[in-house]
Amino acid sequence: MRQKIVAGNWKMNLTKSESIALLNDINASKHAENVQMIVFPPAVYLNTLSELNARCALGAQNFHPAEQGAFTGENSVLQVQDAGAEYVLVGHSERRMYFQESEEFLKDKVDAALAHGLKVIFCCGEPLSIRELEHQNEFVNKQLEESLFHLPAAMMQKVVVAYEPIWAIGTGKTASSAQAENMHAAIREMIATKYDQDLANQISILYGGSCNGTNAKELFACANVDGGLIGGASLKTADFLTIANSF
Ligand code: 13P
């Protein structure tokens, strides 16, 4: 059985008090025991939120792969872990697009996170122009080849993959359950081809891109969709919990 995961990427939203209230609300609510809930708050609040000892795990949206050094404004892999992150996001399209994170840099982030025992959620996904050409599988395979598939099997086993089609992020447009399932099955096949079927069967693959309380049930019913990485809808307790209870 693959781990079911519902993760909230809060992005650059919420104040400290709003973050505390949201995590407390999530923690106080009933949610399925068999679903791993994770939230990715702004890094400046990780430390405070870690003191709430919530059942919901914490993750860092970003980090620098070096442990320390002259990188003004950055938080190191060691620092986000020290502040309470158990998970990290790597390869989010917003980091690739707005902060020019290259495949090589993402590879370094994957390696640094795993070397420190952090769990990696590796994001991949195509822009609309690629989807229109129906080249999405090749595009995603290249992203995995460039920044993830260098890992030995023992390390790859610890990775969660999130498929986030860029055209569905923050747009209200969701991939249909058929589009999501096709891509998730293709990603599992890519992992099986690179490693083996057993390992591919163990890896959780999350869907991200306007996943909400209304469409989560249908998406999560797909054989290869093991949960979601949620943006906007993770900022409201009720919506996030509806999603977490959609399996
Ligand atoms: P939305 O759910 O707001 O589309 O964001 C998805 C996302 O980018 C999660 O990482």
Side-chain angles (χ1 to χ4, degrees):
M1 270 294 275
R2 286 190 288 273
Q3 177 69 62
K4 295 187 188 321
I5 298 171
V6 171
N9 176 7
W10 292 357
K11 306 193 180 184
M12 202 175 69
N13 294 297
L14 307 179
T15 61
K16 182 161 80 172
S17 60
E18 287 167 346
S19 300
I20 293 170
L22 180 52
L23 188 58
N24 274 335
D25 280 354
I26 293 168
N27 203 33
S29 322
K30 269 208 172 138
H31 51 264
E33 294 281 326
N34 63 342
V35 179
Q36 173 66 63
M37 303 247 282
I38 312 163
V39 292
F40 291 84
V44 285
Y45 305 139
L46 271 171
N47 214 42
T48 303
L49 296 180
S50 73
E51 283 161 11
L52 302 180
N53 291 317
R55 277 187 297 160
C56 178
L58 293 176
Q61 297 173 23
N62 183 40
F63 61 98
H64 192 285
E67 288 190 353
Q68 58 190 37
F71 297 103
T72 301
E74 289 292 280
N75 296 307
S76 82
V77 63
L78 212 57
Q79 288 165 335
V80 295
Q81 185 173 42
D82 201 26
E86 196 182 324
Y87 289 82
V88 286
L89 292 182
V90 179
H92 194 283
S93 58
E94 288 153 15
R95 300 288 325 165
R96 294 178 191 258
M97 221 174 346
Y98 305 140
F99 303 98
Q100 288 78 44
E101 292 197 357
S102 67
E103 298 78 19
E104 199 56 38
F105 189 64
L106 297 179
K107 191 173 164 197
D108 289 348
K109 289 177 86 170
V110 167
D111 291 342
L114 291 172
H116 285 83
L118 286 161
K119 296 170 192 152
V120 170
I121 299 188
F122 184 84
C123 307
C124 55
E126 79 287 354
L128 186 60
S129 56
I130 296 289
R131 169 64 63 169
E132 282 172 346
L133 294 170
E134 295 183 9
H135 290 168
Q136 63 272 13
N137 289 22
E138 295 87 333
F139 188 91
V140 166
N141 191 48
K142 191 163 176 285
Q143 290 181 319
L144 299 178
E145 281 285 352
E146 285 168 340
S147 309
L148 201 57
F149 281 172
H150 63 287
L151 291 173
M155 285 293 166
M156 184 63 191
Q157 222 164 10
K158 299 173 199 267
V159 172
V160 171
V161 175
Y163 170 57
E164 300 204 305
I166 297 171
W167 47 272
I169 296 180
T171 58
K173 265 194 188 174
T174 321
S176 67
S177 53
Q179 285 173 320
E181 173 57 17
N182 283 344
M183 180 53 95
H184 283 226
I187 291 171
R188 205 174 299 291
E189 186 61 39
M190 292 166 203
I191 300 169
T193 305
K194 192 75 195 179
Y195 297 90
D196 60 56
Q197 192 66 53
D198 263 9
L199 190 145
N201 289 344
Q202 286 170 42
I203 292 186
S204 300
I205 306 178
L206 314 182
Y207 171 77
S210 299
C211 182
N212 57 43
T214 309
N215 58 31
K217 224 179 182 66
E218 190 181 333
L219 287 162
F220 294 177
C222 298
N224 284 289
V225 178
D226 305 306
L229 178 55
I230 324 297
S234 72
L235 298 171
K236 295 202 180 87
T237 317
D239 290 352
F240 191 52
L241 289 168
T242 303
I243 297 169
N245 290 319
S246 292
F247 287 99

